[in-house]
């Protein structure tokens, strides 16, 4: 299915401890290096299980928690022309793009480096660019901090980044993930064309009833004859900050009446539709169909679902849950609470954001300032 060059490259593109997207293809022979036992696997798995237990029943961790790590992956909207330039000094990062180019049959790296911006920002290219760049950033982390990979106990990704996290955790082969993201991006763009929408970062105070504000905007759309309108929360970011999405007219209503609705500020996002809302319903079926064709594996570390903020249990759970993410809000604030919950006095893990931008660490600082004190950015 794929060329000999790509199969040769993947044998050399293996992260330590197998805690990565080392499965190139669900149908190809596993690389020899992947068969080697992971010296850290048993110890890491024991800690994962211990951290998953109720707080009151946990014993002393077998690994010092501050020596463990969590990896976060960004989503669409973080891309920019010129990203990945500094990663090209790492052979592994270059190999990742060679593999991606062979699967996609076009030069994704060139689009990342040279744009133009209008092309890079198109959903069909942006989602792939962010995912591959994020995985390439892992090569820098592997070179500079190999223990961060070996002692990784959990991963999470924002929207598209959740698929990146599943690849990293070995639940999904890299080539199949690329094809899945292609289908996801095209289906979401088609949904945007069918039902134009918008998204806006919304800041508000403790006296604001955002749900009521969205309901008023929706009713105004109904009264105005807008076809199949929607208005609601699409992303839970941090206290008093959410992304609201829906019909263009609904967001215009919120902006126009912001003062009366006690909304402090709204900033439109550079996206082409109302992602993570029912307006994306038509994208679910093609995505779910493509996901069913992939031979999924149980993640070897905890990966958290955007739908409910909790870790996936197994491969079948991924198959059921992941398609819902397209039309359900991203519960990122809830994910961070779940991810960093621990007994008082227990150290936090080191957190690494791998990919373009630093937005997820900025959000972490607002949700859990103590956890953010040991966070680092590995930018693409």
């Amino acid at each position: 299915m794929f060329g000999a060059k790509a199969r040769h490259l993947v044998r050399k593109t293996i992260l330590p401890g197998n805690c990565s997207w080392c499965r190139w293809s669900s149908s190809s022979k596993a690389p020899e290096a992947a068969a080697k036992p992971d010296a850290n696997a048993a110890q890491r798995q024991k800690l994962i299980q211990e951290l998953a237990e109720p707080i009151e029943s946990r014993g002393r961790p077998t690994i010092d928690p501050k020596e463990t790590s969590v990896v976060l992956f960004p989503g669409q909207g973080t891309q920019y022309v010129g990203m990945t330039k500094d990663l090209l000094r790492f052979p592994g990062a270059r190999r990742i793009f060679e593999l991606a180019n062979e699967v996609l049959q076009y030069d994704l790296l060139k689009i990342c480096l040279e744009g133009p911006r209008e092309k890079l920002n198109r959903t069909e290219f942006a989602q792939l660019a962010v995912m591959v760049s994020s995985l390439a950033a892992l090569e820098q982390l592997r070179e500079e901090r190999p223990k961060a990979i070996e002692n990784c106990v959990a991963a999470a990704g924002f929207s598209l980044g959740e698929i990146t996290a599943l690849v990293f955790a070995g639940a999904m082969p890299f080539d199949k993930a690329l094809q899945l993201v292609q289908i996801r991006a095209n289906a979401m763009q088609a949904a945007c064309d069918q039902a134009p929408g918008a998204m806006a970062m919304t800041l508000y105070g403790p006296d604001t009833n955002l749900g009521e504000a969205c309901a008023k905007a929706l009713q105004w759309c109904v009264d105005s004859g807008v076809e199949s309108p929607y208005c609601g929360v699409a992303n839970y970011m941090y206290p008093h900050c959410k992304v609201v999405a829906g019909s263009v007219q609904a967001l215009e209503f919120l902006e126009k009446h912001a003062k009366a609705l006690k909304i402090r500020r709204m900033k439109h996002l550079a996206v082409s539709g109302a992602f993570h809302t029912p307006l994306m319903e038509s994208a679910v079926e093609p995505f779910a169909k493509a996901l069913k064709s992939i031979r999924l594996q149980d993640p070897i570390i905890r990966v958290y679902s955007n739908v409910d903020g909790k870790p996936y249990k197994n491969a079948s759970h991924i198959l059921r849950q992941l398609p819902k993410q397209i039309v359900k809000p991203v519960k990122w604030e809830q994910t961070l609470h779940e991810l960093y919950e621990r007994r008082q006095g227990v150290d936090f893990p080191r957190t690494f954001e791998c990919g373009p931008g630093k937005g997820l660490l900025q959000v972490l600082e607002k949700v859990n300032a103590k956890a953010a004190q040991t966070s680092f950015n590995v930018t693409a």
Side-chain angles (χ1 to χ4, degrees):
M1 182 177 178
F2 302 105
K5 180 182 178 183
R7 289 193 294 271
H8 169 71
L9 284 170
V10 77
R11 284 196 292 269
K12 300 169 67 178
T13 313
I14 307 295
L15 296 185
N18 300 333
C19 183
S20 76
W21 48 282
C22 57
R23 284 204 304 147
W24 156 242
S25 169
S26 57
S27 59
S28 61
K29 184 179 179 181
E32 294 88 346
K36 294 180 180 179
D38 177 5
N40 300 80
Q43 195 176 23
R44 182 170 61 240
Q45 188 60 35
K46 188 173 181 180
L47 178 60
I48 290 171
Q49 292 171 350
E50 188 162 347
L51 291 175
E53 293 174 359
I55 290 178
E56 62 273 11
S57 65
R58 294 177 189 167
R60 289 178 58 84
T62 55
I63 304 176
D64 187 343
K66 65 176 178 290
E67 295 302 320
T68 65
S69 60
V70 168
V71 180
L72 306 178
F73 297 100
Q76 182 180 351
T78 57
Q79 70 279 352
Y80 60 92
V81 175
M83 67 181 188
T84 74
K85 179 181 178 181
D86 293 338
L87 293 175
L88 296 182
R89 69 184 188 272
F90 299 102
R94 296 196 301 272
R95 288 197 293 268
I96 290 164
F97 274 98
E98 290 178 28
L99 295 171
N101 290 349
E102 180 158 343
V103 175
L104 300 173
Q105 294 297 297
Y106 65 82
D107 195 339
L108 181 64
L109 178 59
K110 184 177 181 180
I111 297 174
C112 291
L113 293 174
E114 302 176 12
R117 183 177 63 180
E118 294 75 18
K119 184 174 184 178
L120 178 60
N121 286 345
R122 282 163 52 184
T123 298
E124 62 188 286
F125 297 116
Q127 293 194 10
L128 288 160
V130 171
M131 185 184 81
V132 177
S133 297
S134 298
L135 292 171
L138 284 172
E139 283 298 308
Q140 178 176 345
L141 184 61
R142 181 179 73 90
E143 292 284 346
E144 297 178 348
R145 294 173 179 253
K147 288 292 184 182
I149 300 294
E150 294 170 5
N151 293 338
C152 181
V153 296
F158 190 95
S159 187
L160 159 76
E162 185 174 325
I163 298 177
T164 315
L166 289 168
V167 176
F168 172 65
M172 193 180 298
F174 179 51
D175 66 323
K176 299 299 183 183
L178 285 170
Q179 295 163 351
L180 181 66
V181 170
Q182 263 190 320
I183 291 169
R184 181 183 191 267
N186 291 335
M188 290 174 70
Q189 185 58 58
C192 294
D193 296 339
Q194 293 174 18
M199 305 180 75
M201 185 80 74
T202 304
L203 299 175
Y204 59 95
D207 59 340
T208 306
N209 189 328
L210 193 59
E212 184 178 299
C214 290
K216 288 182 178 179
L218 180 60
Q219 187 60 51
W220 181 85
C221 287
V222 172
D223 296 341
S224 302
V226 177
E227 186 177 353
S228 302
Y230 180 80
C231 185
V233 174
N235 305 155
Y236 292 82
M237 303 303 294
Y238 54 86
H240 306 309
C241 178
K242 294 179 175 66
V243 172
V244 173
S247 307
V248 173
Q249 299 91 331
L251 268 67
E252 290 175 346
F253 176 89
L254 292 177
E255 288 180 302
K256 183 177 180 180
H257 299 90
K259 186 174 181 180
L261 296 170
K262 299 181 180 179
I263 293 174
R264 294 181 177 178
R265 184 186 175 196
M266 293 184 69
K267 180 182 179 182
H268 274 266
L269 304 184
V271 294
S272 55
F275 301 151
H276 303 289
T277 74
L279 296 183
M280 293 288 108
E281 184 63 41
S282 64
V284 175
E285 184 178 353
F287 179 82
K289 183 179 179 181
L291 184 63
K292 286 180 182 178
S293 70
I294 300 174
R295 192 167 66 188
L296 299 173
Q297 302 287 340
D298 294 347
I300 62 173
I301 58 173
R302 284 181 296 162
V303 176
Y304 287 76
S305 167
N306 286 178
V307 173
D308 58 10
K310 298 183 182 300
Y312 284 110
K313 298 174 183 177
N314 47 41
S316 61
H317 190 198
I318 297 169
L319 189 63
R320 296 192 308 271
Q321 186 95 315
L322 190 58
K324 299 176 185 177
Q325 189 225 54
I326 292 176
V327 292
K328 295 289 186 180
V330 174
K331 293 189 174 179
W332 191 249
E333 182 179 352
Q334 295 88 330
T335 296
L336 295 180
H337 286 306
E338 182 83 14
L339 184 55
Y340 294 101
E341 181 187 8
R342 60 205 58 240
R343 295 195 315 271
Q344 187 175 359
V346 175
D347 290 317
F348 288 98
R350 290 172 294 182
T351 299
F352 299 90
E353 179 178 0
C354 290
K358 302 178 181 179
L360 297 183
L361 296 189
Q362 293 170 352
V363 172
L364 176 60
E365 188 172 359
K366 295 178 183 300
V367 175
N368 192 322
K370 287 187 177 180
Q373 289 176 359
T374 53
S375 64
F376 309 88
N377 179 252
V378 187
T379 185

